[in-house]
Amino acid sequence: MGRKKYVFSDGIGKILASFAHKVAAKCGLESFMPSAFQIRYGGYKGVVAVDPLSSVKLSLRKSMCKYDSQETKLVVLAYSKYQPCFLNRQLITLLSTLGVGDHVFENKQREAVDQLDAILTDPFRAYKALELMSPGENSNILKEMLRCGYKPDAVPFLSMMLQIFRSSKLLELRTKSRIFIPQGRALMGCLDETGTLEYGQVFVQVSGSRFQNSSNDFLSSSGFGFERFNYVITESIVVANNPCLHPGDVRELRAVGVLALHHMVDRVVFPQKERDFWRNLPMHHRWARSDP
């Protein structure tokens, strides 16, 4: 979809909901169906998002075609799911350029180190850190041990694995400035096919137990049974492109609730509308685009 000389749908397609179920099953996803997939199909590449109103299995835009190919196999590279958010040196440099004080990053770094120190003695904080910072199969055995009541400082295997986990995160923190942001998410972007969102608005719905209420506070559970639900964010948020190299790659946008987009989970949905005076905007107000 293009307006004037700008293309807002570059690399974005659609997938039929029933076909998405079949693709998810082929990927071994039985507990949930992703709302979007990053794919390769012949000479096409990009992201396809589930569209409840679509009647076509796969809708691919011209901007997704990179070369001609007779290959008909659908390859799924990634899909929408919970992904932790980390600051890095690129993003810290840009935020600092935009006026964020050094003390903010120092406080976030101190909080991250304190959280990593606590996992060696506190079973609940260890479980929470693994759940939030390292989702996936690699940490499942450790989380299961913690759920069964094993203490981090009493079981040698569990203690050793948590120490390795802590050391790896501290190494990333020291060499790459990867600071864990508990209330952030790494999300794939897509287009508002309904045309509802206005310029400067986005739709963000996150999955899991990481948010509790409108203030985005974490769940403070007395046990390990986190409640599972989806949460629609309706407040000002900061969105950064990845990779981010230009001040325009960091934007403050308004997240709003849109009923027609509630099927989109763990995605950041951008509007297809541009601002009339786009060309007159200062460079730091523009969004530098790249492939999703």
Side-chain angles (χ1 to χ4, degrees):
M1 183 175 299
R3 295 176 182 274
K4 299 179 182 179
K5 68 176 182 179
Y6 304 108
V7 178
F8 297 94
S9 57
D10 182 30
I12 301 293
K14 298 186 291 185
I15 184 172
L16 185 67
S18 58
F19 185 53
H21 275 287
K22 295 180 180 179
V23 173
K26 284 288 186 179
C27 294
L29 304 175
E30 299 178 355
S31 58
F32 79 106
M33 185 193 75
S35 59
F37 301 86
Q38 184 179 6
I39 66 163
R40 299 290 186 269
Y41 180 72
Y44 288 79
K45 60 173 287 191
V47 172
V48 289
V50 174
D51 185 358
L53 302 180
S54 177
S55 58
V56 181
K57 278 189 175 183
L58 211 57
S59 302
L60 305 176
R61 288 185 166 93
K62 291 182 179 180
S63 62
M64 301 175 69
C65 183
K66 307 304 178 183
Y67 56 89
D68 294 330
S69 174
Q70 301 300 318
E71 179 63 51
T72 58
K73 181 185 293 184
L74 179 65
V75 179
V76 176
L77 303 180
Y79 51 86
S80 58
K81 59 181 178 180
Y82 167 76
Q83 297 182 85
C85 175
F86 294 87
L87 294 180
N88 55 34
R89 286 186 176 176
Q90 292 177 340
L91 186 52
I92 290 174
T93 300
L94 288 183
L95 290 175
S96 181
T97 301
L98 294 171
V100 179
D102 292 344
H103 68 280
V104 175
F105 305 114
E106 292 171 356
N107 291 337
K108 290 296 182 183
Q109 179 175 273
R110 192 175 300 110
E111 292 172 4
V113 172
D114 290 342
Q115 185 176 16
L116 290 172
D117 289 340
I119 70 174
L120 301 180
T121 56
D122 188 329
F124 176 68
R125 295 189 68 177
Y127 182 90
K128 187 165 146 183
L130 292 172
E131 176 79 1
L132 296 175
M133 299 174 66
S134 183
E137 295 181 0
N138 293 337
S139 61
N140 283 347
I141 182 63
L142 302 181
K143 289 186 288 187
E144 189 62 29
M145 291 180 68
L146 291 167
R147 288 174 63 93
C148 292
Y150 290 99
K151 304 297 182 183
D153 54 352
V155 181
F157 171 76
L158 181 58
S159 176
M160 179 186 66
M161 294 302 294
L162 289 175
Q163 289 181 41
I164 294 174
F165 173 79
R166 174 179 175 274
S167 297
S168 67
K169 294 302 178 184
L170 289 176
L171 180 63
E172 292 177 353
L173 186 61
R174 180 171 62 85
T175 59
K176 301 180 181 179
S177 299
R178 277 175 57 86
I179 302 174
F180 176 58
I181 304 299
Q183 295 175 341
R185 288 291 184 92
L187 303 169
M188 286 193 290
C190 67
L191 179 73
D192 171 26
E193 300 285 357
T194 68
T196 306
L197 294 173
E198 298 294 334
Y199 178 88
Q201 295 180 338
V202 291
F203 176 81
V204 179
Q205 181 176 200
V206 295
S207 66
S209 59
R210 281 86 184 179
F211 293 98
Q212 182 180 21
N213 50 41
S214 59
S215 63
N216 288 0
D217 292 330
F218 278 102
L219 289 175
S220 54
S221 172
S222 57
F224 298 108
F226 291 93
E227 182 184 358
R228 298 293 175 181
F229 60 92
N230 295 335
Y231 177 79
V232 177
I233 298 176
T234 54
E235 56 186 303
S236 294
I237 62 173
V238 174
V239 180
N241 205 11
N242 185 27
C244 50
L245 304 172
H246 186 278
D249 289 342
V250 181
R251 297 285 306 275
E252 182 179 354
L253 302 172
R254 180 69 186 177
V256 298
V258 178
L259 187 60
L261 297 175
H262 272 218
H263 61 283
M264 304 295 277
V265 183
D266 289 329
R267 303 298 309 276
V268 52
V269 184
F270 293 101
Q272 57 176 262
K273 301 176 182 178
E274 67 170 289
R275 206 165 188 170
D276 292 336
F277 53 95
W278 172 268
R279 295 182 183 180
N280 297 324
L281 283 178
M283 285 301 297
H284 65 276
H285 284 165
R286 300 186 186 180
W287 177 260
R289 265 299 261 123
S290 70
D291 288 342

